[in-house]
Amino acid sequence: MKLASIQAAESKLLLHTYERNPYLFVGGHDVYLRDENGNDFLDLLSGIGVSALGYAHPAIEAAILDQSKRLLHTSNLFYHEGTANLALRLTEISGLDRVFFCNSGTEAWEAALKLARSHARLLREKGRKIGTKFLAMEHSFHGRTMGSVATTHKEKYREPFAPVMPDVEFVRFNDVDDLRAKFSNDVCGICIEPLQGEGGIHPVSKEFFATARELCDSTGALLLADEIQSGLGRTGKWFAYQHYGILPDITTLAKPIAGGIPMGAMLCTDEAALGFTPGQHGTTFGGGPLACAVAIAVLDTMQRENTLAHIQATGEFFKSKLQELATRHDCIVDVRGTGLMLGIEINSAELAKQAAAQMMERRIIINRTSETVLRFLPPYILERKHVEIAVNALDEILKDLAAAYAGTAPAGEKAHG
């Protein structure tokens, strides 16, 4: 089928939940996606942070082939060899003790919220004074299911589904005074993305993160770190919280964990894990043999090839090139991020929209988040030559857009660029 026929079929058959870009991809290799006409696109988004090892990676292909020949599914009523092997790897690199496997980021976050509520219930049964409230952050994004969306800040995600889960209050991100003012014994959990993704690539400050840890420790509330986008190497460490030397009680993973096979995970301390007993939470497909096999292949490949060091070096180079770009274009107001989770903020939503679209026309895939931020979430195997291709293209695009705006701006009005 060609693009036009697929568009027509989807328009008739699918719920209208996405505004897709008009491109049909049929294959991929390394850091490139290939469209129906055989054109290769440099992918600096990796399926929104999913394809960590790029496309057609031999380790992933081998794991899929081997496991698919043996066993795809058992349900969680029985054992298979993958769950404990993967859980061991995740607990070793995270510093946490136990794992719950699921199928997506929002499922992992739902599990985290349920665990925090249930853990608080146990504390109340022991005579502790602790409530059911969550403190979440302004500009946060945790997913689209009902608990996740309740802790997501933007009204556009919550309002159509009101009333969402109650007992959530939003704190100004990185405002320590606001955090202290809103925290009380009513709170069972503080929800933080150590590096906000959908919110515009904003890192949590060390003081704010440390204060959240201190407040949770004072009452028995749990500190929840959403690492669905920033975790498993994206920032140059296995987890973004490791840049701060602060250990959460719960963290959540998904996107890159199984290289494109749907998978999520919630990790927690032994203390937090007391909140769940058999039957209180579960999943039919989570932690299945295929997803576990591929996730093990991803982690083992990253460790064998010292991928974290590569991410750190390539990320530093990428960020430095974006910072150089900012010195040449007044429309770039900030460059943010760590490792290979980077963003540049543009002073105009329309300019950012056009820049992202024109990058796509040049067969370079990025996206725009929080209206004005161009986001880069490339595969971990990205090389410097790919960075230079992308930055040079963006440089040319911003020059052209600045010239176009200068030609159309009314007299006396400063043009973008």
Side-chain angles (χ1 to χ4, degrees):
M1 295 177 73
K2 295 295 185 180
L3 175 61
S5 60
I6 289 177
Q7 287 175 310
E10 286 201 359
S11 178
K12 179 180 180 181
L13 298 169
L14 298 188
L15 271 70
H16 296 162
T17 55
Y18 288 96
E19 292 185 4
R20 300 194 199 277
N21 293 292
Y23 297 87
L24 172 60
F25 291 114
V26 298
H29 62 94
D30 195 42
V31 295
Y32 291 90
L33 280 170
R34 180 164 294 173
D35 73 5
E36 60 179 329
N37 299 311
N39 299 310
D40 286 341
F41 288 66
L42 175 58
D43 184 7
L44 301 185
L45 189 59
S46 65
I48 317 181
V50 170
S51 301
L53 299 184
Y55 300 97
H57 194 284
I60 292 178
E61 289 184 340
I64 292 173
L65 180 62
D66 177 66
Q67 190 62 47
S68 65
K69 290 178 178 178
R70 296 190 292 126
L71 184 66
L72 290 178
H73 180 70
T74 61
S75 88
N76 282 298
L77 298 177
F78 306 100
Y79 293 94
H80 67 82
E81 61 190 4
T83 46
N85 285 333
L86 178 56
L88 176 62
R89 287 163 169 80
L90 291 175
T91 54
E92 286 179 342
I93 63 176
S94 68
L96 295 169
D97 303 310
R98 294 180 180 269
V99 183
F100 170 78
F101 291 116
C102 52
N103 310 286
S104 67
T106 195
E107 288 179 62
W109 191 248
E110 292 283 347
L113 297 175
K114 288 178 70 175
L115 184 60
R117 284 265 176 95
S118 187
H119 179 264
R121 174 187 53 80
L122 289 182
L123 294 183
R124 288 193 298 274
E125 290 173 354
K126 295 177 181 179
R128 298 280 291 275
K129 186 175 171 30
I130 187 169
T132 60
K133 184 176 180 179
F134 288 104
L135 294 183
M137 302 300 117
E138 292 187 357
H139 311 298
S140 61
F141 183 89
H142 296 291
R144 298 178 186 272
T145 48
M146 287 299 275
S148 299
V149 83
T151 51
T152 291
H153 180 242
K154 284 186 180 178
E155 284 279 343
K156 71 175 185 179
Y157 294 122
R158 289 184 287 116
E159 191 276 332
F161 311 105
V164 295
M165 182 184 74
D167 265 2
V168 177
E169 184 174 10
F170 291 98
V171 175
R172 289 190 293 273
F173 190 57
N174 283 337
D175 187 327
V176 172
D177 291 338
D178 195 42
L179 177 62
R180 289 191 179 278
K182 290 175 178 173
F183 186 84
S184 70
N185 284 85
D186 294 332
V187 173
C188 69
I190 299 178
C191 307
I192 294 179
E193 295 163 273
L195 180 53
Q196 289 186 337
E198 294 295 321
I201 314 297
H202 289 283
V204 67
S205 71
K206 177 68 178 287
E207 182 185 12
F208 190 87
F209 207 4
T211 300
R213 179 69 277 172
E214 169 205 325
L215 292 172
C216 287
D217 289 342
S218 72
T219 66
L222 300 184
L223 180 59
L224 286 63
D226 181 340
E227 295 260 10
I228 292 163
Q229 191 168 136
S230 60
L232 283 187
R234 173 62 59 186
T235 66
K237 291 186 179 291
W238 286 115
F239 295 84
Y241 62 73
Q242 292 169 337
H243 291 280
Y244 300 86
I246 294 171
L247 186 69
D249 301 292
I250 299 174
T251 194
T252 52
L253 299 171
K255 293 184 180 296
I257 187 171
I261 299 294
M263 190 177 208
M266 178 196 70
L267 285 67
C268 65
T269 61
D270 279 330
E271 168 62 28
L274 295 173
F276 278 170
T277 57
Q280 286 189 328
H281 195 58
T283 168
T284 297
F285 295 105
L290 180 64
C292 285
V294 177
I296 289 169
V298 169
L299 292 175
D300 287 356
T301 298
M302 289 180 63
Q303 290 181 317
R304 183 175 61 253
E305 298 182 357
N306 200 16
T307 299
L308 293 185
H310 176 77
I311 292 169
Q312 292 167 12
T314 309
E316 289 172 4
F317 177 75
F318 201 161
K319 190 172 185 178
S320 72
K321 299 300 286 187
L322 293 175
Q323 289 169 334
E324 289 176 15
L325 190 68
T327 66
R328 300 195 292 274
H329 297 280
D330 292 340
C331 64
I332 299 177
V333 298
D334 200 9
V335 177
R336 297 189 291 268
T338 305
L340 290 175
M341 186 173 175
L342 300 170
I344 58 174
E345 185 167 353
I346 306 294
N347 63 5
S348 158
E350 180 59 28
L351 188 61
K353 181 179 180 180
Q354 291 191 37
Q358 290 192 29
M359 287 285 277
M360 195 74 187
E361 291 171 5
R362 293 183 181 222
R363 300 173 188 163
I364 302 171
I365 304 172
I366 63 172
N367 86 323
R368 181 175 62 115
T369 188
S370 198
E371 301 296 331
T372 57
V373 177
L374 300 181
R375 177 172 54 172
F376 305 89
L377 298 171
Y380 298 168
I381 58 174
L382 191 78
E383 298 179 11
R384 290 189 174 204
K385 64 182 180 182
H386 304 126
V387 173
E388 290 173 339
I389 290 169
V391 173
N392 289 339
L394 187 55
D395 190 16
E396 294 175 3
I397 287 168
L398 292 177
K399 285 177 183 175
D400 291 344
L401 288 172
Y405 274 100
T408 58
E413 180 179 313
K414 183 180 178 182
H416 300 294

